[in-house]
Amino acid sequence: MSKILKRFKSVVSLLGEFWAFMRMQKKWWLAPLIVILILMGILIIVTEGSALAPFIYAIF
């Protein structure tokens, strides 16, 4: 269980550092790009091996 907690803490730390970078450097245009990349990644993982796969890969 400790291994999972360490991984979660590292992900939260990374997100916190990214948020601080965007806030300090005024790079707000990065937020929509990151959100879209994360959503597309989740979509590909969730629909892996399904009937939607040909349509998803056609996007790229």
Side-chain angles (χ1 to χ4, degrees), residues 13-41:
S13 174
L14 178 68
L15 291 175
E17 286 184 34
F18 182 69
W19 177 254
F21 168 76
M22 284 193 336
R23 194 176 62 220
M24 294 179 85
Q25 299 293 325
K26 308 288 189 220
K27 304 284 186 186
W28 298 113
W29 56 270
L30 284 173
L33 294 174
I34 298 301
V35 169
I36 289 172
L37 285 173
I38 289 172
L39 290 176
M40 291 299 288

